[in-house]
Amino acid sequence: MKALFRILIACATIAFIGFMFFSTPKENEPLEGPNASSNIIPKTELEQPEVGAMTRPQSGMSTLIGQGIQVVLEQYGEPARKEPSSFGYEWWVYKTSVSTFFMLGVQNDVVTQVYIAGDKLDATPFKIGQKRDDIYRMTIIDYEVAANVGENIFIFSMSEEDMQTRLLIKFDGLFAQLYIDSETSALQGVRFTDSETLVLHQPYEMIYQGELVSPTPPSSFLQQDINEASTAQLDDLINVTRVHHDLAPLAFDEKLEEVAKLHSEDMKVQNFSGHESPTNGDLKKRLDSQEIAYSNANENLATAYFDAIEAMHGWLNSPEHRKVILNDKYTAVGSGVFLNYYTQIFMEPSKEKDDSEESVEETESDSHSNNSEFSRRYQ
């Protein structure tokens, strides 16, 4: 009898340890963008790279660079949203469908950049979905790319990873950043930009001669609007990314958005980067505080990316964060941005919540990466 009692105690202990281990969130570090460690080095004399520029495309959406907004309005009409940025230009967001999703940077009524993600749009000389090997065959590519703004010279240096996933291509008076999926080698997005906007972004290691071109810091009130704009763009980009990979788009959950926004601000204000807030706790506690019912939840974090486009492509090319983005069990998402801190929370609603929502809909139908994963099961 004593032996049986000891066996039962041992089994209970093992079960308890197992429960504690397997219910602990699996965490990865927040993703840190290349801008966190990029060196910006002034030089008194610079030798520009010998590799020349490619001929500027004569067709396609890159031809919008330098054009006035009247040309844009005649071709595409009014955007779904007009939003401020940290760099002085305004984002025009066109989101009629995933296959025609694009964003324009507009400053002083002139187009300064075009970001193309829709595969039905003309990204000449590139095509969304095009393979990296094909791009290498048709394109002049070098580790160093020079840009001129007035008399000032800027030379960008790409890392080995950049050469595989974030190419910078120089045309006559135009630059293209190519965002490539590291696993499929397919082109996911293209950002065409003029030289001044490229220098403002400082997306790679950079040395320069002359005066550094820098954006004017926004006011605190404008920064709030910029945070909201970046949040909306993350919401757009997550579904563009999922549909590119043959997954269903996610529904936007206002409570999740609030949790995500608070966490991004918390990371900045309290100077930490991680899933567990010193005051608000881990993701489980933060969701519980908003009384959010879920079966599974997950969180991607990032910092030091200069905009939402860069953050989303960074997550996609990080294996652990990619698993979250492309997980088909999640049906809801909430994003939050504060300065350059990015949070995106994914959720599979609980069965109890789904049943409740179905009941409400039937009643009212006549009248409306660093990564942290855990599960809550209802009996």
Side-chain angles (χ1 to χ4, degrees):
M1 188 69 179
K2 289 183 178 179
L4 179 60
F5 181 76
R6 290 193 188 99
I7 291 172
L8 290 173
I9 291 295
C11 290
T13 302
I14 292 170
F16 178 77
I17 293 172
F19 173 79
M20 293 299 292
F21 176 79
F22 288 110
S23 64
T24 301
K26 300 175 183 177
E27 294 189 354
N28 297 300
E29 292 299 316
L31 193 63
E32 190 172 80
N35 295 74
S37 56
S38 292
N39 293 317
I40 309 299
I41 303 172
K43 295 283 187 180
T44 54
E45 291 186 11
L46 277 181
E47 290 187 9
Q48 297 201 37
E50 294 182 2
V51 177
M54 295 180 62
T55 302
R56 182 167 179 160
Q58 298 300 305
S59 62
M61 296 187 71
S62 71
T63 59
L64 292 174
I65 304 294
Q67 298 280 358
I69 58 172
Q70 193 58 39
V71 173
V72 176
L73 294 172
E74 288 173 358
Q75 292 188 39
Y76 302 102
E78 288 285 347
R81 299 194 309 271
K82 294 180 181 179
E83 301 169 329
S85 77
S86 299
F87 301 96
Y89 54 77
E90 186 177 56
W91 278 119
W92 287 22
V93 181
Y94 288 83
K95 48 176 293 183
T96 304
S97 69
V98 168
S99 61
T100 58
F101 181 86
F102 70 98
M103 295 166 57
L104 300 178
V106 176
Q107 190 164 24
N108 299 324
D109 291 337
V110 174
V111 178
T112 61
Q113 67 180 307
V114 181
Y115 172 73
I116 303 168
D119 58 5
K120 300 301 183 184
L121 298 174
D122 188 351
T124 301
F126 311 107
K127 182 172 178 56
I128 302 302
Q130 185 178 9
K131 293 297 185 178
R132 179 173 53 224
D133 288 347
D134 185 35
I135 293 171
Y136 265 83
R137 279 193 295 269
M138 58 170 279
T139 310
I140 298 175
I141 298 173
D142 191 43
Y143 284 95
E144 293 189 334
V145 176
N148 295 81
V149 179
E151 299 297 319
N152 308 302
I153 303 171
F154 303 87
I155 298 179
F156 297 97
S157 298
M158 284 180 282
S159 66
E160 289 290 344
E161 183 177 355
D162 291 332
M163 294 293 285
Q164 298 300 310
T165 62
R166 209 168 57 114
L167 286 169
L168 179 62
I169 309 298
K170 182 177 183 178
F171 296 89
D172 291 328
L174 182 72
F175 296 86
Q177 275 186 277
L178 308 184
Y179 297 100
I180 299 172
D181 187 318
S182 59
E183 289 199 16
T184 67
S185 298
L187 183 63
Q188 295 290 297
V190 182
R191 188 198 302 250
F192 291 103
T193 177
D194 61 21
S195 58
E196 184 169 355
T197 303
L198 179 67
V199 173
L200 283 172
H201 289 165
Q202 298 175 9
Y204 308 91
E205 296 274 350
M206 187 180 83
I207 57 177
Y208 69 96
Q209 178 182 328
E211 294 184 8
L212 183 61
V213 179
S214 300
T216 301
S219 68
S220 58
F221 294 105
L222 179 57
Q223 186 61 59
Q224 291 179 21
D225 293 337
I226 294 169
N227 294 340
E228 292 294 326
S230 297
T231 295
Q233 290 163 23
L234 276 187
D235 284 341
D236 291 334
L237 292 166
I238 183 60
N239 280 338
V240 169
T241 301
R242 283 176 63 91
V243 173
H244 271 320
H245 290 82
D246 300 319
L247 292 171
L250 301 173
F252 305 121
D253 187 289
E254 290 184 2
K255 285 189 174 182
L256 286 182
E257 296 257 311
E258 187 63 25
V259 174
K261 291 174 184 177
L262 288 173
H263 192 63
S264 288
E265 183 173 359
D266 199 24
M267 285 193 289
K268 172 60 179 177
V269 172
Q270 302 213 52
N271 192 31
F272 76 96
S273 181
H275 298 282
E276 186 159 1
S277 162
T279 54
N280 300 318
D282 60 13
L283 178 57
K284 179 180 183 300
K285 289 181 179 178
R286 289 183 274 123
L287 293 177
D288 287 347
S289 71
Q290 295 293 321
E291 299 182 345
I292 297 174
Y294 59 92
S295 293
N296 290 280
N298 215 308
E299 180 176 64
N300 279 345
L301 305 178
T303 187
Y305 287 93
F306 68 80
D307 68 8
I309 294 169
E310 290 268 323
M312 183 56 66
H313 285 289
W315 277 331
L316 182 64
N317 284 331
S318 168
E320 292 304 317
H321 300 85
R322 179 190 186 92
K323 289 177 185 177
V324 180
I325 290 174
L326 303 183
N327 193 323
D328 61 3
K329 71 185 176 185
Y330 297 121
T331 59
V333 69
S335 307
V337 180
F338 188 81
L339 298 174
N340 64 349
Y341 287 83
Y342 301 83
T343 300
Q344 197 161 57
I345 302 173
F346 300 76
M347 184 178 73
E348 176 188 8
S350 71
K351 187 63 170 65
E352 288 183 1
K353 181 178 180 182
D354 289 345
D355 291 343
S356 173
E357 287 179 345
E358 289 173 5
S359 175
V360 170
E361 287 173 1
E362 290 173 359
T363 303
E364 298 181 352
S365 60
D366 294 332
S367 60
H368 171 61
S369 178
N370 197 36
N371 162 298
S372 174
E373 184 172 13
F374 51 89
S375 299
R376 175 190 289 170
R377 300 299 179 190
Y378 291 88
Q379 302 300 324

